[in-house]
Amino acid sequence: MARAASAASPAAAAARRRDRGGVAATASALLRRFGDPNDVAIASFVARVLVVLDALLSVAIVRRVAYTNIDWNAYMGEARGYASGERDYAKLRGDTGPLVYPAGFLYLYDALRRVTDDGADVRRAQMIFVVVYAAHQAAAMAVTVKARVVPPWALSLLCVSKRIHSVFALRMFNDGVCSLVAWVAIWLAQSKRFVAAAVALSVAASVKMNALLFLPPFLVLLVGHERVSTACVAVGAFVGVQVVVGWPFLSTYPREYVGRAFELGRKFTYEWTVNWKFVSIETFSSDAFSLGLLLAHVAILFAFAHARWYRRGGGFFPAFFVDFFERARTDAAASKRLKSLTAADVVCAMAEGNFIGIVFARSLHYQFYAWYFHSLPLLLWSISSNGSRRGGKGGGRLRRALAVAARVGAMGAIEWCWNVYPSTPTSSLVLFATHAALLLSLWLGGVGIPSGGRRRSRGGVKRARSKKKLG
């Protein structure tokens, strides 16, 4: 009996070691899946769980955090003016000044006014915006998962912003609704439904004009990868939505509507700017500063279009235009081009175009954070870590860990800047420096849209060309 027990003991110990090894291997494999951007099943599961948990957190925030009015009363005043029959945009005002948003905004907030007892039931309005926020999270995560750029665990970064919860659930800004519809437009574009995407993008622009920041990369993708006839239909649909939405005002006081709803030269108040407090108020208010930002914005857009969004035949200049006119004569199919355009190509290009607008914006107010916060993980993880696999396993792991730390650190720095109230020269300078560093990193190490379907960093393209010459 004793000899049998002693013989069984090593066997049992070996079995236990195998079990522990199996558990460890399973746990390791599961952790790897949470770090794999291509694991759509895990990413989709994580996204669903996060949307539900974040919605519950938003409800708790609404119940626990006291409401303070910022623009809600102004929105309600403008909606009341519209409901009373006023169609002259020059006469529509709230308690913070004249109406400066397109007609879609009026329809939205007039509907909210009707279901919230003329705007008095703020708690109901906040709960409606909790639903808007949850839908926004679902749309942003669906686009992110489809792109296969961000690891599943990093989706949690979309749920930790104090300022974003305030913009949506507590303050009920129109920026959140505009951003929601814009993410739906990106999802449609990822599915190569460009006409529907143009309609959605136009609806977003009818709520707030900042959705137009997505338009330059969208047009490059549309015209460069679709039939010319389809591109024309999409552009016509975009314009048509604006005409239909604005018709009650365009048919009565067109100059007042266009001038106020799409006022490009509007002066912003230095007191509320988040991004330029490190320059003097004289510089901030000067026409030269505004013109410099505009020229820089346009120049960087063209640079990204040439080197990243359209790289066939040498780039945007002049291949894009040559290709367009050649295809326009016969309305040639673009099946090969469409096949090569991935979901990551679409969202990265549109997020980059929007981010360029943020970097060179004349002024950023606190609610404008909703314009680009949800695209930050996509932008940060689209930057390649060239050389992360060199130097052995240890070196590769260290580089990847440092890259992750840098990405999370950049998001943390940006979040900190948006939560400094009122903004200071230091917070504005940190925000600008982080934005500039991210933009430069996208230019140097981000992934562009090459002539084939495979996305490469600029460094990767250069190395490939060098190998071809050597071979």
Side-chain angles (χ1 to χ4, degrees), residues 276-309:
W276 295 118
K277 276 290 179 69
F278 62 92
V279 304
S280 67
I281 188 171
E282 292 78 17
T283 299
F284 176 83
S285 304
S286 69
D287 291 336
F289 183 66
S290 177
L291 179 61
L293 289 174
L294 177 60
L295 292 176
H297 183 186
V298 173
I300 298 301
L301 281 176
F302 277 124
F304 269 68
H306 179 71
R308 299 177 54 71
W309 304 337

PDB file of all heavy atoms in Angstrom, residues 276-309:
ATOM      1  N   TRP A 276      -5.371  78.027 -27.448  1.00  0.00           N
ATOM      2  CA  TRP A 276      -4.427  79.101 -27.776  1.00  0.00           C
ATOM      3  C   TRP A 276      -4.194  80.065 -26.625  1.00  0.00           C
ATOM      4  O   TRP A 276      -3.825  81.229 -26.852  1.00  0.00           O
ATOM      5  CB  TRP A 276      -4.909  79.878 -29.007  1.00  0.00           C
ATOM      6  CG  TRP A 276      -4.952  79.083 -30.263  1.00  0.00           C
ATOM      7  CD1 TRP A 276      -6.044  78.793 -31.011  1.00  0.00           C
ATOM      8  CD2 TRP A 276      -3.844  78.459 -30.932  1.00  0.00           C
ATOM      9  NE1 TRP A 276      -5.714  78.024 -32.098  1.00  0.00           N
ATOM     10  CE2 TRP A 276      -4.360  77.810 -32.082  1.00  0.00           C
ATOM     11  CE3 TRP A 276      -2.476  78.381 -30.677  1.00  0.00           C
ATOM     12  CZ2 TRP A 276      -3.557  77.094 -32.963  1.00  0.00           C
ATOM     13  CZ3 TRP A 276      -1.679  77.668 -31.557  1.00  0.00           C
ATOM     14  CH2 TRP A 276      -2.215  77.041 -32.678  1.00  0.00           C
ATOM     15  N   LYS A 277      -4.338  79.628 -25.398  1.00  0.00           N
ATOM     16  CA  LYS A 277      -4.118  80.531 -24.266  1.00  0.00           C
ATOM     17  C   LYS A 277      -2.652  80.918 -24.085  1.00  0.00           C
ATOM     18  O   LYS A 277      -2.342  81.831 -23.330  1.00  0.00           O
ATOM     19  CB  LYS A 277      -4.637  79.876 -22.972  1.00  0.00           C
ATOM     20  CG  LYS A 277      -6.133  80.060 -22.739  1.00  0.00           C
ATOM     21  CD  LYS A 277      -6.446  81.520 -22.412  1.00  0.00           C
ATOM     22  CE  LYS A 277      -7.937  81.747 -22.186  1.00  0.00           C
ATOM     23  NZ  LYS A 277      -8.414  81.116 -20.963  1.00  0.00           N
ATOM     24  N   PHE A 278      -1.739  80.211 -24.767  1.00  0.00           N
ATOM     25  CA  PHE A 278      -0.325  80.551 -24.611  1.00  0.00           C
ATOM     26  C   PHE A 278       0.107  81.673 -25.561  1.00  0.00           C
ATOM     27  O   PHE A 278       1.265  82.087 -25.548  1.00  0.00           O
ATOM     28  CB  PHE A 278       0.566  79.311 -24.816  1.00  0.00           C
ATOM     29  CG  PHE A 278       0.482  78.684 -26.174  1.00  0.00           C
ATOM     30  CD1 PHE A 278       1.355  79.060 -27.186  1.00  0.00           C
ATOM     31  CD2 PHE A 278      -0.457  77.703 -26.442  1.00  0.00           C
ATOM     32  CE1 PHE A 278       1.289  78.473 -28.434  1.00  0.00           C
ATOM     33  CE2 PHE A 278      -0.527  77.105 -27.695  1.00  0.00           C
ATOM     34  CZ  PHE A 278       0.349  77.498 -28.689  1.00  0.00           C
ATOM     35  N   VAL A 279      -0.815  82.149 -26.410  1.00  0.00           N
ATOM     36  CA  VAL A 279      -0.533  83.352 -27.192  1.00  0.00           C
ATOM     37  C   VAL A 279      -1.311  84.509 -26.595  1.00  0.00           C
ATOM     38  O   VAL A 279      -2.289  84.318 -25.866  1.00  0.00           O
ATOM     39  CB  VAL A 279      -0.903  83.161 -28.687  1.00  0.00           C
ATOM     40  CG1 VAL A 279      -0.178  81.962 -29.264  1.00  0.00           C
ATOM     41  CG2 VAL A 279      -2.415  83.019 -28.862  1.00  0.00           C
ATOM     42  N   SER A 280      -0.891  85.723 -26.881  1.00  0.00           N
ATOM     43  CA  SER A 280      -1.553  86.895 -26.311  1.00  0.00           C
ATOM     44  C   SER A 280      -2.933  87.081 -26.923  1.00  0.00           C
ATOM     45  O   SER A 280      -3.214  86.587 -28.033  1.00  0.00           O
ATOM     46  CB  SER A 280      -0.715  88.150 -26.560  1.00  0.00           C
ATOM     47  OG  SER A 280      -0.673  88.442 -27.947  1.00  0.00           O
ATOM     48  N   ILE A 281      -3.782  87.821 -26.236  1.00  0.00           N
ATOM     49  CA  ILE A 281      -5.130  88.072 -26.753  1.00  0.00           C
ATOM     50  C   ILE A 281      -5.081  88.890 -28.042  1.00  0.00           C
ATOM     51  O   ILE A 281      -5.914  88.727 -28.933  1.00  0.00           O
ATOM     52  CB  ILE A 281      -5.999  88.781 -25.680  1.00  0.00           C
ATOM     53  CG1 ILE A 281      -7.454  88.860 -26.154  1.00  0.00           C
ATOM     54  CG2 ILE A 281      -5.434  90.157 -25.346  1.00  0.00           C
ATOM     55  CD1 ILE A 281      -8.403  89.347 -25.085  1.00  0.00           C
ATOM     56  N   GLU A 282      -4.045  89.737 -28.171  1.00  0.00           N
ATOM     57  CA  GLU A 282      -3.896  90.530 -29.392  1.00  0.00           C
ATOM     58  C   GLU A 282      -3.583  89.622 -30.586  1.00  0.00           C
ATOM     59  O   GLU A 282      -4.144  89.785 -31.670  1.00  0.00           O
ATOM     60  CB  GLU A 282      -2.793  91.574 -29.220  1.00  0.00           C
ATOM     61  CG  GLU A 282      -3.111  92.677 -28.230  1.00  0.00           C
ATOM     62  CD  GLU A 282      -2.953  92.239 -26.790  1.00  0.00           C
ATOM     63  OE1 GLU A 282      -2.291  91.182 -26.559  1.00  0.00           O
ATOM     64  OE2 GLU A 282      -3.467  92.925 -25.891  1.00  0.00           O
ATOM     65  N   THR A 283      -2.677  88.663 -30.366  1.00  0.00           N
ATOM     66  CA  THR A 283      -2.345  87.710 -31.428  1.00  0.00           C
ATOM     67  C   THR A 283      -3.546  86.845 -31.767  1.00  0.00           C
ATOM     68  O   THR A 283      -3.876  86.634 -32.940  1.00  0.00           O
ATOM     69  CB  THR A 283      -1.168  86.821 -30.999  1.00  0.00           C
ATOM     70  OG1 THR A 283      -0.032  87.637 -30.749  1.00  0.00           O
ATOM     71  CG2 THR A 283      -0.839  85.790 -32.064  1.00  0.00           C
ATOM     72  N   PHE A 284      -4.223  86.339 -30.743  1.00  0.00           N
ATOM     73  CA  PHE A 284      -5.386  85.476 -30.935  1.00  0.00           C
ATOM     74  C   PHE A 284      -6.464  86.176 -31.750  1.00  0.00           C
ATOM     75  O   PHE A 284      -7.125  85.540 -32.591  1.00  0.00           O
ATOM     76  CB  PHE A 284      -5.937  85.062 -29.576  1.00  0.00           C
ATOM     77  CG  PHE A 284      -7.206  84.246 -29.640  1.00  0.00           C
ATOM     78  CD1 PHE A 284      -7.153  82.881 -29.851  1.00  0.00           C
ATOM     79  CD2 PHE A 284      -8.450  84.846 -29.479  1.00  0.00           C
ATOM     80  CE1 PHE A 284      -8.321  82.126 -29.909  1.00  0.00           C
ATOM     81  CE2 PHE A 284      -9.614  84.105 -29.527  1.00  0.00           C
ATOM     82  CZ  PHE A 284      -9.545  82.742 -29.744  1.00  0.00           C
ATOM     83  N   SER A 285      -6.646  87.455 -31.536  1.00  0.00           N
ATOM     84  CA  SER A 285      -7.731  88.204 -32.187  1.00  0.00           C
ATOM     85  C   SER A 285      -7.350  88.758 -33.549  1.00  0.00           C
ATOM     86  O   SER A 285      -8.208  89.307 -34.258  1.00  0.00           O
ATOM     87  CB  SER A 285      -8.168  89.367 -31.282  1.00  0.00           C
ATOM     88  OG  SER A 285      -8.536  88.901 -30.003  1.00  0.00           O
ATOM     89  N   SER A 286      -6.083  88.620 -33.938  1.00  0.00           N
ATOM     90  CA  SER A 286      -5.622  89.252 -35.169  1.00  0.00           C
ATOM     91  C   SER A 286      -6.034  88.472 -36.404  1.00  0.00           C
ATOM     92  O   SER A 286      -6.135  87.239 -36.389  1.00  0.00           O
ATOM     93  CB  SER A 286      -4.103  89.406 -35.149  1.00  0.00           C
ATOM     94  OG  SER A 286      -3.469  88.146 -35.238  1.00  0.00           O
ATOM     95  N   ASP A 287      -6.243  89.201 -37.501  1.00  0.00           N
ATOM     96  CA  ASP A 287      -6.587  88.569 -38.772  1.00  0.00           C
ATOM     97  C   ASP A 287      -5.398  87.769 -39.323  1.00  0.00           C
ATOM     98  O   ASP A 287      -5.587  86.745 -39.989  1.00  0.00           O
ATOM     99  CB  ASP A 287      -7.001  89.632 -39.780  1.00  0.00           C
ATOM    100  CG  ASP A 287      -8.326  90.286 -39.419  1.00  0.00           C
ATOM    101  OD1 ASP A 287      -9.121  89.638 -38.704  1.00  0.00           O
ATOM    102  OD2 ASP A 287      -8.569  91.426 -39.846  1.00  0.00           O
ATOM    103  N   ALA A 288      -4.171  88.245 -39.042  1.00  0.00           N
ATOM    104  CA  ALA A 288      -2.977  87.538 -39.528  1.00  0.00           C
ATOM    105  C   ALA A 288      -2.876  86.144 -38.917  1.00  0.00           C
ATOM    106  O   ALA A 288      -2.523  85.176 -39.600  1.00  0.00           O
ATOM    107  CB  ALA A 288      -1.728  88.351 -39.210  1.00  0.00           C
ATOM    108  N   PHE A 289      -3.184  86.019 -37.622  1.00  0.00           N
ATOM    109  CA  PHE A 289      -3.162  84.732 -36.946  1.00  0.00           C
ATOM    110  C   PHE A 289      -4.208  83.793 -37.550  1.00  0.00           C
ATOM    111  O   PHE A 289      -3.925  82.615 -37.845  1.00  0.00           O
ATOM    112  CB  PHE A 289      -3.418  84.923 -35.455  1.00  0.00           C
ATOM    113  CG  PHE A 289      -3.341  83.668 -34.633  1.00  0.00           C
ATOM    114  CD1 PHE A 289      -2.150  82.992 -34.481  1.00  0.00           C
ATOM    115  CD2 PHE A 289      -4.473  83.174 -34.001  1.00  0.00           C
ATOM    116  CE1 PHE A 289      -2.077  81.831 -33.713  1.00  0.00           C
ATOM    117  CE2 PHE A 289      -4.414  82.023 -33.227  1.00  0.00           C
ATOM    118  CZ  PHE A 289      -3.211  81.353 -33.095  1.00  0.00           C
ATOM    119  N   SER A 290      -5.394  84.315 -37.792  1.00  0.00           N
ATOM    120  CA  SER A 290      -6.465  83.520 -38.381  1.00  0.00           C
ATOM    121  C   SER A 290      -6.095  83.057 -39.785  1.00  0.00           C
ATOM    122  O   SER A 290      -6.285  81.883 -40.140  1.00  0.00           O
ATOM    123  CB  SER A 290      -7.757  84.351 -38.430  1.00  0.00           C
ATOM    124  OG  SER A 290      -8.793  83.634 -39.051  1.00  0.00           O
ATOM    125  N   LEU A 291      -5.526  83.963 -40.590  1.00  0.00           N
ATOM    126  CA  LEU A 291      -5.128  83.608 -41.951  1.00  0.00           C
ATOM    127  C   LEU A 291      -4.002  82.580 -41.943  1.00  0.00           C
ATOM    128  O   LEU A 291      -3.997  81.639 -42.753  1.00  0.00           O
ATOM    129  CB  LEU A 291      -4.693  84.861 -42.703  1.00  0.00           C
ATOM    130  CG  LEU A 291      -4.227  84.654 -44.153  1.00  0.00           C
ATOM    131  CD1 LEU A 291      -5.350  84.061 -44.994  1.00  0.00           C
ATOM    132  CD2 LEU A 291      -3.741  85.973 -44.751  1.00  0.00           C
ATOM    133  N   GLY A 292      -3.049  82.725 -41.024  1.00  0.00           N
ATOM    134  CA  GLY A 292      -1.953  81.766 -40.928  1.00  0.00           C
ATOM    135  C   GLY A 292      -2.441  80.370 -40.608  1.00  0.00           C
ATOM    136  O   GLY A 292      -1.970  79.382 -41.200  1.00  0.00           O
ATOM    137  N   LEU A 293      -3.392  80.272 -39.693  1.00  0.00           N
ATOM    138  CA  LEU A 293      -3.960  78.966 -39.350  1.00  0.00           C
ATOM    139  C   LEU A 293      -4.689  78.355 -40.541  1.00  0.00           C
ATOM    140  O   LEU A 293      -4.585  77.149 -40.807  1.00  0.00           O
ATOM    141  CB  LEU A 293      -4.913  79.103 -38.166  1.00  0.00           C
ATOM    142  CG  LEU A 293      -4.281  79.390 -36.799  1.00  0.00           C
ATOM    143  CD1 LEU A 293      -5.364  79.651 -35.767  1.00  0.00           C
ATOM    144  CD2 LEU A 293      -3.406  78.224 -36.357  1.00  0.00           C
ATOM    145  N   LEU A 294      -5.431  79.192 -41.267  1.00  0.00           N
ATOM    146  CA  LEU A 294      -6.170  78.700 -42.428  1.00  0.00           C
ATOM    147  C   LEU A 294      -5.221  78.178 -43.507  1.00  0.00           C
ATOM    148  O   LEU A 294      -5.423  77.083 -44.067  1.00  0.00           O
ATOM    149  CB  LEU A 294      -7.045  79.817 -42.996  1.00  0.00           C
ATOM    150  CG  LEU A 294      -7.831  79.480 -44.279  1.00  0.00           C
ATOM    151  CD1 LEU A 294      -8.776  78.322 -44.033  1.00  0.00           C
ATOM    152  CD2 LEU A 294      -8.583  80.707 -44.784  1.00  0.00           C
ATOM    153  N   LEU A 295      -4.163  78.933 -43.793  1.00  0.00           N
ATOM    154  CA  LEU A 295      -3.203  78.512 -44.812  1.00  0.00           C
ATOM    155  C   LEU A 295      -2.490  77.229 -44.400  1.00  0.00           C
ATOM    156  O   LEU A 295      -2.270  76.328 -45.223  1.00  0.00           O
ATOM    157  CB  LEU A 295      -2.196  79.635 -45.073  1.00  0.00           C
ATOM    158  CG  LEU A 295      -2.754  80.895 -45.739  1.00  0.00           C
ATOM    159  CD1 LEU A 295      -1.670  81.961 -45.838  1.00  0.00           C
ATOM    160  CD2 LEU A 295      -3.338  80.594 -47.111  1.00  0.00           C
ATOM    161  N   ALA A 296      -2.122  77.134 -43.109  1.00  0.00           N
ATOM    162  CA  ALA A 296      -1.465  75.917 -42.613  1.00  0.00           C
ATOM    163  C   ALA A 296      -2.409  74.722 -42.717  1.00  0.00           C
ATOM    164  O   ALA A 296      -2.002  73.615 -43.103  1.00  0.00           O
ATOM    165  CB  ALA A 296      -1.006  76.119 -41.174  1.00  0.00           C
ATOM    166  N   HIS A 297      -3.674  74.948 -42.390  1.00  0.00           N
ATOM    167  CA  HIS A 297      -4.681  73.891 -42.465  1.00  0.00           C
ATOM    168  C   HIS A 297      -4.784  73.354 -43.891  1.00  0.00           C
ATOM    169  O   HIS A 297      -4.712  72.137 -44.132  1.00  0.00           O
ATOM    170  CB  HIS A 297      -6.028  74.449 -41.991  1.00  0.00           C
ATOM    171  CG  HIS A 297      -7.128  73.447 -41.944  1.00  0.00           C
ATOM    172  ND1 HIS A 297      -8.436  73.788 -41.667  1.00  0.00           N
ATOM    173  CD2 HIS A 297      -7.147  72.102 -42.163  1.00  0.00           C
ATOM    174  CE1 HIS A 297      -9.189  72.703 -41.699  1.00  0.00           C
ATOM    175  NE2 HIS A 297      -8.430  71.675 -42.002  1.00  0.00           N
ATOM    176  N   VAL A 298      -4.925  74.244 -44.843  1.00  0.00           N
ATOM    177  CA  VAL A 298      -5.075  73.836 -46.243  1.00  0.00           C
ATOM    178  C   VAL A 298      -3.811  73.138 -46.742  1.00  0.00           C
ATOM    179  O   VAL A 298      -3.874  72.102 -47.432  1.00  0.00           O
ATOM    180  CB  VAL A 298      -5.414  75.054 -47.117  1.00  0.00           C
ATOM    181  CG1 VAL A 298      -5.396  74.675 -48.600  1.00  0.00           C
ATOM    182  CG2 VAL A 298      -6.772  75.630 -46.740  1.00  0.00           C
ATOM    183  N   ALA A 299      -2.647  73.683 -46.396  1.00  0.00           N
ATOM    184  CA  ALA A 299      -1.383  73.098 -46.855  1.00  0.00           C
ATOM    185  C   ALA A 299      -1.201  71.677 -46.327  1.00  0.00           C
ATOM    186  O   ALA A 299      -0.802  70.765 -47.075  1.00  0.00           O
ATOM    187  CB  ALA A 299      -0.218  73.981 -46.410  1.00  0.00           C
ATOM    188  N   ILE A 300      -1.501  71.456 -45.051  1.00  0.00           N
ATOM    189  CA  ILE A 300      -1.338  70.114 -44.463  1.00  0.00           C
ATOM    190  C   ILE A 300      -2.363  69.145 -45.046  1.00  0.00           C
ATOM    191  O   ILE A 300      -2.066  67.961 -45.273  1.00  0.00           O
ATOM    192  CB  ILE A 300      -1.447  70.175 -42.927  1.00  0.00           C
ATOM    193  CG1 ILE A 300      -0.344  71.055 -42.351  1.00  0.00           C
ATOM    194  CG2 ILE A 300      -1.346  68.785 -42.325  1.00  0.00           C
ATOM    195  CD1 ILE A 300       1.057  70.584 -42.675  1.00  0.00           C
ATOM    196  N   LEU A 301      -3.579  69.621 -45.323  1.00  0.00           N
ATOM    197  CA  LEU A 301      -4.567  68.760 -45.971  1.00  0.00           C
ATOM    198  C   LEU A 301      -4.064  68.274 -47.325  1.00  0.00           C
ATOM    199  O   LEU A 301      -4.150  67.082 -47.652  1.00  0.00           O
ATOM    200  CB  LEU A 301      -5.891  69.519 -46.148  1.00  0.00           C
ATOM    201  CG  LEU A 301      -6.808  69.647 -44.935  1.00  0.00           C
ATOM    202  CD1 LEU A 301      -8.009  70.509 -45.277  1.00  0.00           C
ATOM    203  CD2 LEU A 301      -7.265  68.293 -44.414  1.00  0.00           C
ATOM    204  N   PHE A 302      -3.526  69.181 -48.123  1.00  0.00           N
ATOM    205  CA  PHE A 302      -3.009  68.793 -49.433  1.00  0.00           C
ATOM    206  C   PHE A 302      -1.817  67.845 -49.296  1.00  0.00           C
ATOM    207  O   PHE A 302      -1.661  66.907 -50.084  1.00  0.00           O
ATOM    208  CB  PHE A 302      -2.621  70.023 -50.241  1.00  0.00           C
ATOM    209  CG  PHE A 302      -3.779  70.669 -50.954  1.00  0.00           C
ATOM    210  CD1 PHE A 302      -4.092  72.001 -50.755  1.00  0.00           C
ATOM    211  CD2 PHE A 302      -4.552  69.933 -51.838  1.00  0.00           C
ATOM    212  CE1 PHE A 302      -5.161  72.593 -51.415  1.00  0.00           C
ATOM    213  CE2 PHE A 302      -5.629  70.518 -52.506  1.00  0.00           C
ATOM    214  CZ  PHE A 302      -5.933  71.851 -52.293  1.00  0.00           C
ATOM    215  N   ALA A 303      -0.977  68.097 -48.303  1.00  0.00           N
ATOM    216  CA  ALA A 303       0.183  67.220 -48.099  1.00  0.00           C
ATOM    217  C   ALA A 303      -0.263  65.807 -47.753  1.00  0.00           C
ATOM    218  O   ALA A 303       0.267  64.822 -48.299  1.00  0.00           O
ATOM    219  CB  ALA A 303       1.072  67.789 -46.986  1.00  0.00           C
ATOM    220  N   PHE A 304      -1.242  65.670 -46.871  1.00  0.00           N
ATOM    221  CA  PHE A 304      -1.736  64.336 -46.507  1.00  0.00           C
ATOM    222  C   PHE A 304      -2.463  63.685 -47.685  1.00  0.00           C
ATOM    223  O   PHE A 304      -2.357  62.477 -47.887  1.00  0.00           O
ATOM    224  CB  PHE A 304      -2.659  64.432 -45.292  1.00  0.00           C
ATOM    225  CG  PHE A 304      -1.942  64.270 -43.979  1.00  0.00           C
ATOM    226  CD1 PHE A 304      -1.051  65.234 -43.537  1.00  0.00           C
ATOM    227  CD2 PHE A 304      -2.148  63.155 -43.191  1.00  0.00           C
ATOM    228  CE1 PHE A 304      -0.374  65.088 -42.336  1.00  0.00           C
ATOM    229  CE2 PHE A 304      -1.486  62.987 -41.986  1.00  0.00           C
ATOM    230  CZ  PHE A 304      -0.588  63.964 -41.551  1.00  0.00           C
ATOM    231  N   ALA A 305      -3.208  64.487 -48.443  1.00  0.00           N
ATOM    232  CA  ALA A 305      -3.889  63.931 -49.613  1.00  0.00           C
ATOM    233  C   ALA A 305      -2.879  63.377 -50.607  1.00  0.00           C
ATOM    234  O   ALA A 305      -3.072  62.294 -51.174  1.00  0.00           O
ATOM    235  CB  ALA A 305      -4.749  65.005 -50.277  1.00  0.00           C
ATOM    236  N   HIS A 306      -1.783  64.088 -50.808  1.00  0.00           N
ATOM    237  CA  HIS A 306      -0.780  63.685 -51.786  1.00  0.00           C
ATOM    238  C   HIS A 306       0.015  62.463 -51.329  1.00  0.00           C
ATOM    239  O   HIS A 306       0.246  61.537 -52.113  1.00  0.00           O
ATOM    240  CB  HIS A 306       0.183  64.852 -52.036  1.00  0.00           C
ATOM    241  CG  HIS A 306       1.272  64.536 -53.014  1.00  0.00           C
ATOM    242  ND1 HIS A 306       1.038  64.376 -54.365  1.00  0.00           N
ATOM    243  CD2 HIS A 306       2.606  64.310 -52.834  1.00  0.00           C
ATOM    244  CE1 HIS A 306       2.177  64.090 -54.979  1.00  0.00           C
ATOM    245  NE2 HIS A 306       3.141  64.037 -54.078  1.00  0.00           N
ATOM    246  N   ALA A 307       0.427  62.459 -50.063  1.00  0.00           N
ATOM    247  CA  ALA A 307       1.356  61.426 -49.589  1.00  0.00           C
ATOM    248  C   ALA A 307       0.683  60.274 -48.864  1.00  0.00           C
ATOM    249  O   ALA A 307       1.306  59.222 -48.679  1.00  0.00           O
ATOM    250  CB  ALA A 307       2.410  62.061 -48.667  1.00  0.00           C
ATOM    251  N   ARG A 308      -0.608  60.412 -48.487  1.00  0.00           N
ATOM    252  CA  ARG A 308      -1.199  59.379 -47.641  1.00  0.00           C
ATOM    253  C   ARG A 308      -2.563  58.904 -48.122  1.00  0.00           C
ATOM    254  O   ARG A 308      -2.858  57.725 -48.096  1.00  0.00           O
ATOM    255  CB  ARG A 308      -1.316  59.900 -46.206  1.00  0.00           C
ATOM    256  CG  ARG A 308       0.042  60.248 -45.597  1.00  0.00           C
ATOM    257  CD  ARG A 308      -0.113  60.826 -44.191  1.00  0.00           C
ATOM    258  NE  ARG A 308      -0.880  59.937 -43.344  1.00  0.00           N
ATOM    259  CZ  ARG A 308      -0.426  58.776 -42.888  1.00  0.00           C
ATOM    260  NH1 ARG A 308       0.774  58.367 -43.200  1.00  0.00           N
ATOM    261  NH2 ARG A 308      -1.166  58.026 -42.110  1.00  0.00           N
ATOM    262  N   TRP A 309      -3.415  59.804 -48.569  1.00  0.00           N
ATOM    263  CA  TRP A 309      -4.773  59.391 -48.911  1.00  0.00           C
ATOM    264  C   TRP A 309      -4.905  58.943 -50.357  1.00  0.00           C
ATOM    265  O   TRP A 309      -5.842  58.221 -50.697  1.00  0.00           O
ATOM    266  CB  TRP A 309      -5.762  60.532 -48.645  1.00  0.00           C
ATOM    267  CG  TRP A 309      -5.721  61.043 -47.240  1.00  0.00           C
ATOM    268  CD1 TRP A 309      -5.273  60.377 -46.138  1.00  0.00           C
ATOM    269  CD2 TRP A 309      -6.133  62.331 -46.786  1.00  0.00           C
ATOM    270  NE1 TRP A 309      -5.378  61.164 -45.020  1.00  0.00           N
ATOM    271  CE2 TRP A 309      -5.909  62.381 -45.384  1.00  0.00           C
ATOM    272  CE3 TRP A 309      -6.676  63.449 -47.407  1.00  0.00           C
ATOM    273  CZ2 TRP A 309      -6.203  63.494 -44.625  1.00  0.00           C
ATOM    274  CZ3 TRP A 309      -6.973  64.570 -46.650  1.00  0.00           C
ATOM    275  CH2 TRP A 309      -6.744  64.593 -45.267  1.00  0.00           C
TER     276      TRP A 309
END
